[in-house]
Amino acid sequence: MHQNRCPEPRATTKSLLIELLIATGYENVSWAKSEQEIAKILRHRLQLRGVMIVWIDEAHDLIGGGTPHKVQMTVKSTKNLMQGAGAVGLILSGIDTLWTLIGSDEQLNRRFSKMPLGAISAVPDQKMLNQIVRTLCKEAGMTAPVSHDLLERLVHASRGRFGRFIEYTLAALEVAAFAGDAELRIQHFAEAWGQREGCELSQNVFLVKNWGQIAFGQNSADKQKGAR
């Protein structure tokens, strides 16, 4: 399975196809080629590599300013990947805007099965979330953190959003790697989260004692992208 993320808020269908093509290892992609030519090459590459699923994360970026008609035209441009010999499954994921726009068009609403992702919790999801953190640490060549309440703090800092949980963990790993540390610690999360949120030390979930009492407003990232 190949996952692709659109790099810009106003990504086009053509740029998406090129990014997908690059993800298959095809480096020499010319913007001079038409959308249809690129789609043909991409289809061949996907078949060649045995790809069965194409997952487009942050698909709300692809539809940009967001009318149902634009969503429909974008999906139609990639629909040929879902038909005929060597067809692939198409998964779109993103913020609530994507859900609303797809649901507002009858044809798109029928074509896609929609699955909301519920909020994560540090109690029932403890085993899964701990495993994710340990796996990411292992991939980064670091020892997993041992703080007894780190998971609860991280879930709270993530607003119960799985995507943010992953992002903040990766950000903390980057801080640890930059510092040359061999063990991921709660201080790395505090630094990474503080940088992203732009909050005062007294409002940093990973530093204060009564972290559960911290309520979140919308930061700049939330205002631009919405809740994940």
Side-chain angles (χ1 to χ4, degrees):
M1 179 173 69
H2 290 276
Q3 180 176 344
N4 183 73
R5 176 173 297 190
C6 298
E8 299 294 339
R10 295 187 177 277
T12 65
T13 305
K14 187 174 184 179
S15 70
L16 168 67
L17 294 174
I18 289 177
E19 288 297 320
L20 286 172
L21 194 50
I22 292 173
T24 69
Y26 190 96
E27 298 292 341
N28 300 318
V29 187
S30 173
W31 275 89
K33 292 184 180 296
S34 68
E35 200 172 282
Q36 291 74 21
E37 290 175 312
I38 296 173
K40 185 177 180 180
I41 299 172
L42 173 60
R43 186 181 181 90
H44 174 71
R45 291 287 300 178
L46 293 175
Q47 287 181 268
L48 190 65
R49 301 201 60 174
V51 176
M52 300 178 65
I53 300 291
V54 173
W55 185 342
I56 305 173
D57 192 16
E58 297 194 15
H60 52 275
D61 287 344
L62 179 63
I63 60 180
T67 64
H69 175 71
K70 184 172 182 180
V71 182
Q72 188 174 23
M73 295 305 296
T74 299
V75 173
K76 284 180 66 176
S77 298
T78 55
K79 189 174 63 176
N80 69 318
L81 299 176
M82 305 165 63
Q83 299 174 332
V88 298
L90 181 62
I91 298 176
L92 305 179
S93 59
I95 61 176
D96 293 344
T97 303
L98 177 66
W99 180 289
T100 302
L101 288 169
I102 289 179
S104 65
D105 184 273
E106 184 177 351
Q107 291 186 7
L108 291 177
N109 199 37
R110 289 201 311 267
R111 183 174 297 276
F112 282 93
S113 297
K114 295 176 289 297
M115 183 180 70
L117 297 179
I120 56 175
S121 171
V123 179
D125 300 321
Q126 180 180 12
K127 184 177 180 180
M128 176 191 71
L129 297 177
N130 273 325
Q131 183 60 44
I132 289 173
V133 174
R134 286 195 295 267
T135 299
L136 292 175
C137 287
K138 183 178 179 180
E139 291 294 323
M142 293 185 189
T143 303
V146 295
S147 174
H148 72 282
D149 64 350
L150 172 61
L151 190 65
E152 290 87 348
R153 290 174 184 261
L154 181 54
V155 169
H156 186 64
S158 304
R159 284 80 157 171
R161 299 288 185 172
F162 181 73
R164 283 182 172 176
F165 181 92
I166 299 295
E167 287 181 1
Y168 292 146
T169 303
L170 291 175
L173 283 167
E174 289 180 1
V175 170
F178 186 77
D181 295 332
E183 178 185 346
L184 184 62
R185 299 190 300 271
I186 195 169
Q187 290 81 2
H188 299 132
F189 285 91
E191 182 177 340
W193 192 79
Q195 290 174 350
R196 291 190 170 222
E197 297 288 326
C199 65
E200 298 179 359
L201 294 180
S202 62
Q203 293 295 305
N204 192 307
V205 176
F206 298 97
L207 295 178
V208 301
K209 182 177 180 180
N210 299 320
W211 54 268
Q213 298 178 10
I214 296 178
F216 302 108
Q218 280 195 323
N219 60 21
S220 58
D222 290 329
K223 293 174 183 177
Q224 293 175 11
K225 299 177 66 174
R228 284 173 176 266

